Amino acid sequence: MMALTMETRARLVRELRWYLIAAFVPTIALAVLAWTQGGLARFPAAVLAMLVPMIAAMLVQKRVVKKPVFKGGLLGFRKGRLLWWLIAPLAAGLMVALAFVFTFAMEPALLATGARVADNLDNLANLPDLGGSPAARLGALVVIGLLAGPLLNLPVYLGEEVGWRAFMTPRLTMLYGRRGVVLAGLIWAVWHTPLILLGHNYAEHPLIGHLVWLPLCVCLSILLQAAYRAGNSIFVAALAHGAINQATGILFAVFVTGDGFIDWLHGPAGLAGLLVALGPALWIYLRRPDLLEAEPVGPHDIRNDQH
C-alpha cells in the first residue's frame, strides 16, 4: 500500500463520504416507497436502485472531485481489452452453472426431469424457434443469457459497477490496500439490506440470507474488481455482473423444479454460490493483488503522494 499525505487521505475520505450518502439515501427512499406500495412486486425499486450508485458517482465526480465523468476514463468508461468483454461474462456464467451443480448435489430432487426441461424451454418467451430441438433452444438461451442479455441491459448493470468498482473501491484500496476490496464488498452488501428486507434474493429467509450475502458480496467484490482491472474497462465488470443475473434467472427457470428450493442455501445467491465464488476470490486476493490495486482517482497521480 502506498503512503499518502494527510491531505490526500482527507480528500479521499471526503469523496467517499459524499458518495456513500448519495448512494444510500435514495436507495433507502426507494425501498420505503416500495414498502408503502406493497413490496417489490408492485414497485420496481430493485431495478431503479441499480442506477443509483452510478448517478451518485457521477455527481460526486463532477461536484466534489471536480473531474470529468467520461473524459480520461476516470470512471472506467473506456474500451479496454476487448477479449475480456467475452471472457468475463462467460466465466461469470460458468460460476453460476457450477452453483446450480452444487445445488443439485445438495438436493437432487430440485433438478427438473428431461421432459420438464423441454416444457420449460417451450414456455420461455422471446426464445427463437430453432426447429423444436431442446438442445438447440438451450444453446440459443445460453447465448442470449450470457452475451446478448447483458449487452442489451448494459446501462442497468453499469449502474452498480460504475459506483462500486470504478469510484468507491479504488479509493478504499488507496486508503487500506487490498483490504479495501473486502470493505467495499461489505458496504455493497449492506447497501442491499433495505431491498433484502423486502424480499430481494431471500424472500423466505431475509435474515439468514443476509448472513450468506455478506461474505458472498465480498467474494464478488474481489472477482468483479479483478474483471474491471484485467479488462481495463468498467464495461467488462458490468457484463460479468449482467451475466450472473441473466444466467441465474435462465438456469433457475429451465432446470429447477422450485419445490424445496431454500433461498439462503441453494443457487448462486445461496451457500452453493458462496462455495463456488470463495476459491477464485481467495486465489486472486492472495496471489494476484495486482488485480485489486487502485488506479489514480483524484486531481493528480497517487505517485505524487508517496513519502
Side-chain angles (χ1 to χ4, degrees), residues 257-281:
T257 62
D259 300 326
F261 187 90
I262 302 173
D263 49 21
W264 65 267
L265 180 62
H266 301 135
L271 188 60
L274 176 59
L275 292 175
V276 171
L278 185 61

Side-chain angles (χ1 to χ4, degrees), residues 61-72:
Q61 179 79 359
K62 197 70 176 176
R63 306 297 297 177
V64 179
V65 182
K66 300 188 184 304
K67 280 288 180 177
V69 170
F70 298 102
K71 187 178 178 180

